[in-house]
Amino acid sequence: LPPEDEPPAPTGLGTLTGVFFPCLQNIFGVILFLRQPWITGQAGVLLTLLIVASCCCTTLMTALSMSAIATNGKVQSGGTYYMISRTLGPEFGGAVGLSFYLGTTIAASMYILGAEETLRLGLGLDLTQIVGGLQMQLVGGVITVMLTGVVYAGVVLVAMIGPWFLVAVIIGILFSW
């Protein structure tokens, strides 16, 4: 093959480390274990089950749509945004891409605040006498800097560290029962 027709080198992210572990980490995340009791207390058991069922239906329809789009052609770099913008056109793809970006950004801040709350409650971390009312901002800022360093190191490092975070979450779930 000529050099311009050579396929790109694989990144090493397979189905397990590139798809399965990140999905499990999202499922076993802040929403399920920190916010689910609060939602149940506010909405009641039946309405909470309805909320969870509607979220599962939405996720199923999204996964079926994405798999239908992905099987129609080669998915290049850009992942979800690439598939949406190439299938639906640049105008609609841009709007969906912006929504996707905002959702991911808000989810990241929610996960950082969830990690701060878990550290504060689980470890008994109390810095209020040192930093006053800025404890959440200080711990959240430290977590953000640490995550920025991991992301800056690259996707392969994130994929290598991800399963260990998943193991820590599963151990935490088992010990919380």
Side-chain angles (χ1 to χ4, degrees):
L1 293 172
E4 62 269 7
D5 292 338
E6 290 181 15
T11 61
L13 299 178
T15 304
L16 192 65
T17 57
V19 178
F20 185 70
F21 285 149
C23 287
L24 274 183
Q25 288 169 331
N26 280 325
I27 291 169
F28 293 147
V30 173
I31 290 290
L32 188 61
F33 292 101
L34 288 181
R35 302 296 174 239
Q36 189 75 22
W38 181 83
I39 294 169
T40 305
Q42 295 294 320
V45 174
L46 291 177
L47 196 54
T48 300
L49 290 174
L50 181 67
I51 291 169
V52 170
S54 67
C55 290
C56 288
C57 288
T58 303
T59 302
L60 177 66
M61 293 300 143
T62 303
L64 290 175
S65 299
M66 293 299 283
S67 63
I69 293 171
T71 56
N72 285 335
K74 183 179 177 186
V75 179
Q76 297 181 4
S77 63
T80 306
Y81 174 72
Y82 176 83
M83 289 191 300
I84 291 170
S85 65
R86 296 308 178 265
T87 304
L88 302 175
E91 296 84 8
F92 193 71
V96 172
L98 181 62
S99 300
F100 184 69
Y101 167 76
L102 289 174
T104 304
T105 304
I106 292 170
S109 64
M110 180 186 68
Y111 279 114
I112 289 170
L113 291 178
E116 182 275 330
E117 184 177 336
T118 302
L119 287 173
R120 186 170 34 88
L121 297 176
L123 299 177
L125 186 65
D126 187 19
L127 301 174
T128 53
Q129 296 179 357
I130 299 171
V131 295
L134 297 175
Q135 175 175 325
M136 184 185 330
Q137 290 86 351
L138 178 68
V139 175
V142 169
I143 292 170
T144 303
V145 168
M146 290 170 48
L147 290 176
T148 301
V150 169
V151 170
Y152 183 72
V155 174
V156 175
L157 180 65
V158 172
M160 286 174 32
I161 293 174
W164 296 107
F165 284 141
L166 181 62
V167 167
V169 168
I170 291 173
I171 289 171
I173 291 168
L174 293 176
F175 281 112
S176 68
W177 285 350

Short mmCIF file of all heavy atoms in Angstrom, two decimals, residues 116-128 135 139:
data_model
loop_
_atom_site.label_atom_id
_atom_site.label_comp_id
_atom_site.label_asym_id
_atom_site.label_seq_id
_atom_site.Cartn_x
_atom_site.Cartn_y
_atom_site.Cartn_z
N GLU A 116 -16.06 14.77 45.89
CA GLU A 116 -15.79 15.62 47.06
C GLU A 116 -16.70 15.22 48.21
O GLU A 116 -16.26 15.09 49.36
CB GLU A 116 -16.00 17.09 46.69
CG GLU A 116 -15.70 18.05 47.82
CD GLU A 116 -16.86 18.26 48.77
OE1 GLU A 116 -18.03 18.17 48.36
OE2 GLU A 116 -16.59 18.52 49.97
N GLU A 117 -17.98 15.01 47.92
CA GLU A 117 -18.93 14.62 48.97
C GLU A 117 -18.58 13.26 49.56
O GLU A 117 -18.66 13.04 50.76
CB GLU A 117 -20.34 14.60 48.39
CG GLU A 117 -21.42 14.31 49.40
CD GLU A 117 -22.80 14.37 48.79
OE1 GLU A 117 -22.99 15.05 47.76
OE2 GLU A 117 -23.70 13.72 49.35
N THR A 118 -18.17 12.33 48.70
CA THR A 118 -17.79 11.00 49.16
C THR A 118 -16.55 11.07 50.05
O THR A 118 -16.50 10.42 51.10
CB THR A 118 -17.51 10.07 47.96
OG1 THR A 118 -18.68 10.01 47.16
CG2 THR A 118 -17.13 8.69 48.41
N LEU A 119 -15.55 11.85 49.65
CA LEU A 119 -14.36 12.02 50.49
C LEU A 119 -14.70 12.67 51.82
O LEU A 119 -14.22 12.25 52.88
CB LEU A 119 -13.30 12.85 49.77
CG LEU A 119 -12.57 12.16 48.63
CD1 LEU A 119 -11.68 13.15 47.91
CD2 LEU A 119 -11.75 11.00 49.16
N ARG A 120 -15.54 13.68 51.76
CA ARG A 120 -15.89 14.40 52.98
C ARG A 120 -16.67 13.51 53.95
O ARG A 120 -16.36 13.45 55.14
CB ARG A 120 -16.71 15.65 52.63
CG ARG A 120 -17.01 16.54 53.81
CD ARG A 120 -17.62 17.87 53.40
NE ARG A 120 -18.48 17.82 52.25
CZ ARG A 120 -19.79 17.56 52.30
NH1 ARG A 120 -20.36 17.30 53.44
NH2 ARG A 120 -20.51 17.56 51.19
N LEU A 121 -17.67 12.79 53.45
CA LEU A 121 -18.49 11.97 54.32
C LEU A 121 -17.83 10.64 54.66
O LEU A 121 -17.92 10.16 55.80
CB LEU A 121 -19.85 11.71 53.66
CG LEU A 121 -20.72 12.94 53.41
CD1 LEU A 121 -21.98 12.57 52.66
CD2 LEU A 121 -21.05 13.64 54.72
N GLY A 122 -17.17 10.02 53.67
CA GLY A 122 -16.58 8.70 53.91
C GLY A 122 -15.33 8.73 54.76
O GLY A 122 -15.10 7.85 55.59
N LEU A 123 -14.50 9.72 54.57
CA LEU A 123 -13.24 9.81 55.32
C LEU A 123 -13.34 10.74 56.51
O LEU A 123 -12.38 10.89 57.25
CB LEU A 123 -12.11 10.28 54.41
CG LEU A 123 -11.77 9.39 53.22
CD1 LEU A 123 -10.68 10.02 52.38
CD2 LEU A 123 -11.37 8.01 53.70
N GLY A 124 -14.47 11.39 56.68
CA GLY A 124 -14.61 12.34 57.77
C GLY A 124 -13.76 13.57 57.58
O GLY A 124 -13.30 14.18 58.53
N LEU A 125 -13.53 13.93 56.32
CA LEU A 125 -12.69 15.07 55.99
C LEU A 125 -13.40 16.37 56.36
O LEU A 125 -14.48 16.66 55.85
CB LEU A 125 -12.39 15.05 54.48
CG LEU A 125 -11.42 16.07 53.94
CD1 LEU A 125 -10.04 15.82 54.51
CD2 LEU A 125 -11.39 16.01 52.43
N ASP A 126 -12.83 17.11 57.29
CA ASP A 126 -13.44 18.36 57.72
C ASP A 126 -12.39 19.45 57.73
O ASP A 126 -11.55 19.52 58.61
CB ASP A 126 -14.07 18.20 59.10
CG ASP A 126 -14.86 19.43 59.52
OD1 ASP A 126 -15.22 20.23 58.64
OD2 ASP A 126 -15.11 19.59 60.72
N LEU A 127 -12.43 20.28 56.71
CA LEU A 127 -11.46 21.37 56.59
C LEU A 127 -12.07 22.73 56.90
O LEU A 127 -11.48 23.75 56.61
CB LEU A 127 -10.88 21.39 55.17
CG LEU A 127 -10.17 20.12 54.70
CD1 LEU A 127 -9.80 20.25 53.24
CD2 LEU A 127 -8.96 19.85 55.54
N THR A 128 -13.27 22.74 57.47
CA THR A 128 -13.97 24.01 57.66
C THR A 128 -13.23 24.94 58.62
O THR A 128 -13.31 26.15 58.48
CB THR A 128 -15.40 23.76 58.18
OG1 THR A 128 -15.35 22.94 59.35
CG2 THR A 128 -16.25 23.11 57.13
N GLN A 135 -14.55 24.64 51.66
CA GLN A 135 -14.07 23.26 51.63
C GLN A 135 -14.44 22.56 50.34
O GLN A 135 -13.61 21.90 49.72
CB GLN A 135 -14.65 22.49 52.82
CG GLN A 135 -14.30 21.03 52.82
CD GLN A 135 -14.80 20.33 54.06
OE1 GLN A 135 -14.81 20.90 55.13
NE2 GLN A 135 -15.19 19.08 53.92
N VAL A 139 -11.45 21.16 47.77
CA VAL A 139 -11.30 19.74 47.45
C VAL A 139 -11.67 19.48 45.99
O VAL A 139 -11.00 18.73 45.28
CB VAL A 139 -12.13 18.87 48.41
CG1 VAL A 139 -12.07 17.40 48.01
CG2 VAL A 139 -11.64 19.04 49.84
#
